[in-house]
Amino acid sequence: MKDYSRKGVMLAATLSALAGYVDAVGFMTLGGFFVSFMSGNSTRLGVGLALGEWDQAAIAFGLIVLFVVGVVIGATVARRVGEGRRSVVLAVEAVLLLTGAGLCTAGWRELGMVAVVMAMGVENAVFQRQGDVGVGLTYMTGTLVRMGQRIATALHGGARWDWVPFLMLWTGLAVGGAIGAVSFLRFEVLALWPAFAVVAGLAVVVALAEARTERG
């Protein structure tokens, strides 16, 4: 994270919060399955197989496949337009969230969640570097490990505050999850519309910033 500007860190924290928000809405819509946290779905897959709960295992596996498809789409877009063009990846994510919100609002929740899961996969390409994930936005285990490592470095005389951006990512996800849960309890699947609006707005803001940078 130290290779990113302050604006880059803020964008990452915002997108992490959005992932937590959407994951909470998806979790409550799907009755305990995740739309961005694939470690949780992998555990549910394993438990479902062990208990012979084939329908539960099938749902978990399907969500994992859809997420990977979203990652492939996001990575492909980033490669085609250039990994510095984050606005295009955000635009693709926004279109998928718009599709998901529209389908869920129309009563087709299962189809809507297909688009939402893919959107979360796409999001991980926003900070893609040389084909790899630069910043993990929808999962926090690696982020917490890196935070702990940076704290250990600080305690041994290294950079004192390099762990803070990782704390911001985790905090964003947790706070976003809480807001998403409250929003779902009040608005149900309509809570997906603010998520679409945020990503669409970010795509516009980032696109304008990229245009200014290109003009020099």
Side-chain angles (χ1 to χ4, degrees):
M1 289 291 289
K2 65 181 180 180
D3 296 330
Y4 292 96
S5 66
R6 183 175 298 179
K7 289 182 179 179
V9 172
M10 290 304 299
L11 175 61
T14 301
L15 288 172
S16 183
L18 179 110
Y21 178 97
V22 173
D23 206 25
V25 173
F27 181 85
M28 298 175 81
T29 300
L30 295 172
F33 291 92
F34 303 91
V35 296
S36 73
F37 179 51
M38 292 304 118
S39 294
N41 286 338
S42 297
T43 299
R44 293 216 57 174
L45 170 62
V47 172
L49 292 174
L51 297 179
E53 297 176 349
W54 310 118
D55 57 337
Q56 301 295 299
I59 292 171
F61 181 73
L63 291 169
I64 293 167
V65 170
L66 288 169
F67 184 83
V68 173
V69 170
V71 173
V72 172
I73 292 172
T76 300
V77 170
R79 285 174 179 270
R80 293 287 178 85
V81 303
E83 293 179 345
R85 297 286 301 280
R86 295 171 183 165
S87 60
V88 180
V89 178
L90 287 168
V92 173
E93 181 184 357
V95 169
L96 286 168
L97 284 174
L98 172 62
T99 303
L103 288 170
C104 286
T105 301
W108 295 316
R109 293 193 176 192
E110 291 79 8
L111 284 176
M113 285 295 110
V114 168
V116 171
V117 174
M118 292 171 64
M120 292 297 94
V122 168
E123 182 173 303
N124 285 284
V126 173
F127 288 90
Q128 181 169 298
R129 282 187 169 183
Q130 298 179 338
D132 290 324
V133 174
V135 180
L137 299 172
T138 66
Y139 48 92
M140 286 298 118
T141 302
T143 296
L144 291 173
V145 169
R146 290 185 180 90
M147 184 177 75
Q149 291 171 334
R150 298 305 186 277
I151 291 173
T153 298
L155 292 174
H156 290 82
R160 295 180 62 183
W161 305 110
D162 280 359
W163 56 274
V164 173
F166 298 101
L167 176 63
M168 290 174 62
L169 288 177
W170 175 82
T171 302
L173 189 84
V175 172
I179 296 172
V182 171
S183 298
F184 181 85
L185 290 174
R186 189 163 186 184
F187 304 110
E188 292 202 342
V189 290
L190 294 178
L192 289 171
W193 288 103
F196 155 69
V198 168
V199 177
L202 287 174
V204 172
V205 171
V206 173
L208 292 173
E210 291 169 350
R212 286 196 298 270
T213 301
E214 289 174 0
R215 288 196 301 266

